[in-house]
Amino acid sequence: MPVTTTPTTQVKFKPYTRQTIALARQWQWMSPDLQEAVQVISHVLPFRTNEYVMEQLIDWNNIPDDPIYRLTFPHRDMLPPAEYDRLRDLVLNKADSGAIAQMVQSIRMRMNPHPAGQMTHNVPRVNDAPLKGLQHKYKETVLFFPSAGQTCHAYCTFCFRWPQFVGMEDMKFDARETTELVSYLKSHPDVTDVLFTGGDPMIMNTRSLAEFIEPLLAPELAHIQNIRIGTKSVAYWPQRFVSDKDADDLMRLFEKVVAAGKNLALMGHYNHAVELRNPIAQQAVKRIVGTGATLRMQGPLIRHINEDPKSWAELWTTGVRLGAIPYYMFVERDTGPSDYFALPLARAHEVFQAAYSMVSGLSRTVRGPSMSAFPGKVVIDGVVTINGEKLFALQFLQARNPAWVKKPFFAKYDANATWLDHLVPAFGRKKFFFEEEGDLGNHGAAGRVIPILPATQRRASDVQPDAA
Ligand code: SF4
């Protein structure tokens, strides 16, 4: 069982990668087959874990089925068997690096590296030049990717931002400083929220983080009301908020943002109840909310990791007790090894409903299961029967066109569908209402609409123009 002690002294962060993982004592506890999967798959997808995750979160008596092991260690089934075998032969036979690179690149491009139009539609342009470290999908929210925050304390095996970490430079979002961000925000008074994201911005030391955040406190950016930071450090390295040498400075920075009249919202990425069982993880939550910041809990539902509703219910209940706010259960995105991790939408709805029914009203701030799809965030509200037809009831929680939000719509029930573009409109209609309207609003980055097509067609048209 994981150890649950709170360190009283400062603990040094110790990461492990493909090059160093064999030095960890736990490596000897893994079978040759599991070790091989790490060595092979980590050529395609990023692999990084750390000593805290390995010592305190993974139950090594239960590998490979332990949820946090699955969350951070690659598994051979993440690639189709023939593809895995071919890559394994190249890697283990120490083939020419060009041959390995060629195969790795072809696998990565098959994996839909930038889903939901991130590169084609979300990147804002000034004088027709893209602002590389920004995304502006929804009218009121801008995403900012600080370059120093484009890594994480450990990598999730399902990561939807995996191209950020594997050297695909032409597919990476990052910005070295905030000049362009500030100038963009000055000219967009309807933007109220800035989300610092990555990777994990909390990988930065407090001084670097302050250099990115403090410019947003300027009087001319009074329209920026909410500063959000997306972070997994609350689970992978809660010491960041408690015992790191600049943890107290970090708390002072949070207090400064709050004192400036902004809402500072940490968007905490949690995947499993075990991540919030350790005293230090709980202490991190208390310290964050003690500064006046808010901490919202969100994460995707993933096969092999968190399909158990009881885990979600425990996570939300513990979080609420500590002062956090349950926010989103996402549907696993259609990128990376999604065939390995995806659950049917029907199953996702069952898990959400079961977890939701186990918790008190204070935890029912959570929304889900929600797909961050090309047109917006679509939630599965339920399964209904109308005129004898079994249907999914859906609505947008967020949309490229604000007029679409909260408009109910229906799709034919499909027990196997795992994503929005697998669904067919109900009542004999040819298109969903948002496909008929085809209006992104005038804040869309490229101002054109990609119709929702079957996955294989959509991926080709969605990714290649900007990836070339
Ligand atoms: S924390 Fe987020 S960005 Fe980092 S590896 Fe996990 S999913 Fe990817």
Side-chain angles (χ1 to χ4, degrees):
M1 290 294 290
V3 183
T4 53
T5 52
T6 305
T8 49
T9 52
Q10 194 184 313
V11 184
K12 202 165 177 305
F13 176 71
K14 188 170 180 188
Y16 288 104
T17 62
R18 168 154 46 94
Q19 286 73 25
T20 58
I21 187 65
L23 301 174
R25 67 190 182 112
Q26 293 88 347
W27 183 250
Q28 310 310 321
W29 306 344
M30 294 165 58
S31 68
D33 195 49
L34 295 179
Q35 292 178 346
E36 179 194 278
V38 174
Q39 295 296 342
V40 174
I41 305 273
S42 61
H43 279 80
V44 177
L45 296 164
F47 169 65
R48 177 173 155 108
T49 185
N50 71 57
E51 196 170 46
Y52 169 75
V53 170
M54 293 179 70
E55 293 286 339
Q56 309 249 355
L57 299 186
I58 295 174
D59 178 355
W60 291 92
N61 296 319
N62 188 32
I63 65 165
D65 293 328
D66 175 78
I68 307 300
Y69 179 87
R70 290 279 194 217
L71 179 64
T72 49
F73 281 79
H75 192 272
R76 60 184 298 141
D77 293 344
M78 288 164 61
L79 294 182
E83 202 167 59
Y84 180 87
D85 289 346
R86 279 209 314 282
L87 183 59
R88 180 196 57 202
D89 289 348
L90 290 176
V91 169
L92 296 189
N93 295 330
K94 299 195 173 19
D96 167 57
S97 60
I100 296 177
Q102 196 178 7
M103 176 155 193
V104 163
Q105 178 68 2
S106 76
I107 296 173
R108 286 177 180 163
M109 292 312 294
R110 162 184 82 63
M111 287 184 162
N112 190 23
H114 274 299
Q118 287 184 96
M119 296 213 90
T120 51
H121 283 68
N122 297 359
V123 178
R125 290 168 185 270
V126 171
N127 299 329
D128 220 27
L131 301 180
K132 194 173 172 246
L134 267 69
Q135 287 190 32
H136 192 183
K137 179 172 180 179
Y138 305 124
K139 184 167 68 73
E140 64 282 353
T141 305
V142 164
L143 274 61
F144 183 71
F145 296 74
S147 55
Q150 297 317 305
T151 183
C152 302
H153 291 96
Y155 290 144
C156 310
T157 39
F158 64 82
C159 177
F160 69 103
R161 292 255 172 81
W162 58 272
Q164 295 288 100
F165 314 129
V166 293
M168 297 173 85
E169 291 304 320
D170 53 342
M171 295 212 169
K172 196 167 169 179
F173 296 96
D174 64 345
R176 290 196 185 288
E177 44 87 45
T178 52
T179 308
E180 283 187 333
L181 171 68
V182 168
S183 132
Y184 185 78
L185 294 176
K186 279 185 187 165
S187 61
H188 287 78
D190 47 356
V191 174
T192 55
D193 291 38
V194 174
L195 168 63
F196 289 90
T197 186
D200 191 334
M202 295 312 307
I203 202 97
M204 289 189 272
N205 63 34
T206 303
R207 191 171 46 78
S208 303
L209 187 65
E211 282 171 13
F212 283 103
I213 290 183
E214 285 176 350
L216 302 192
L217 308 184
E220 59 270 32
L221 294 182
H223 58 287
I224 303 303
Q225 298 179 29
N226 304 307
I227 297 176
R228 310 188 198 185
I229 304 175
T231 184
K232 177 78 182 165
S233 57
V234 284
Y236 282 160
W237 187 244
Q239 289 83 346
R240 181 73 194 87
F241 306 93
V242 180
S243 57
D244 270 7
K245 68 176 186 301
D246 62 351
D248 288 346
D249 296 338
L250 183 65
M251 297 301 104
R252 299 297 85 77
L253 174 63
F254 287 3
E255 285 167 1
K256 181 175 180 182
V257 175
V258 174
K262 309 286 187 191
N263 171 32
L264 177 64
L266 269 84
M267 315 305 289
H269 176 183
Y270 292 96
N271 296 108
H272 195 277
V274 74
E275 294 171 332
L276 201 42
R277 281 186 197 146
N278 274 353
I280 191 145
Q282 301 197 359
Q283 217 178 330
V285 176
K286 285 187 178 165
R287 292 201 92 202
I288 291 165
V289 300
T291 65
T294 54
L295 172 63
R296 286 182 165 74
M297 313 172 79
Q298 58 183 21
L301 172 63
I302 314 152
R303 190 154 62 98
H304 305 298
I305 294 175
N306 57 16
E307 205 181 330
D308 181 359
K310 290 200 286 301
S311 168
W312 288 95
E314 180 190 334
L315 185 61
W316 298 333
T317 304
T318 309
V320 165
R321 175 171 58 77
L322 298 166
I325 305 163
Y327 192 47
Y328 272 121
M329 177 197 280
F330 291 115
V331 175
E332 167 58 2
R333 286 202 193 189
D334 57 341
T335 181
S338 53
D339 291 344
Y340 179 70
F341 288 121
L343 282 166
L345 299 176
R347 174 70 185 142
H349 178 256
E350 273 173 21
V351 174
F352 181 83
Q353 195 176 33
Y356 197 79
S357 69
M358 290 176 196
V359 296
S360 86
L362 291 181
S363 290
R364 291 186 182 165
T365 46
V366 69
R367 284 99 57 94
S370 169
M371 290 174 271
S372 292
F374 174 74
K377 284 195 177 73
V378 176
V379 70
I380 301 139
D381 269 340
V383 177
V384 294
T385 301
I386 298 177
N387 295 336
E389 197 180 355
K390 195 172 179 184
L391 308 169
F392 284 121
L394 307 152
Q395 63 170 308
F396 283 99
L397 295 175
Q398 186 54 286
R400 288 184 187 273
N401 183 338
W404 300 345
V405 175
K406 292 294 266 181
K407 265 177 133 175
F409 63 101
F410 296 91
K412 286 187 180 171
Y413 179 84
D414 178 342
N416 299 316
T418 58
W419 199 249
L420 181 64
D421 56 7
H422 301 159
L423 297 180
V424 173
F427 312 126
R429 296 175 71 149
K430 294 260 179 301
K431 293 179 174 181
F432 291 111
F433 79 90
F434 50 91
E435 294 174 292
E436 285 167 357
E437 292 178 19
D439 176 14
L440 291 180
N442 59 11
H443 67 281
R448 65 189 168 84
V449 177
I450 294 180
I452 296 189
L453 298 169
T456 45
Q457 292 174 45
R458 187 190 59 72
R459 285 172 188 174
S461 62
D462 197 7
V463 173
Q464 282 170 2
D466 282 7

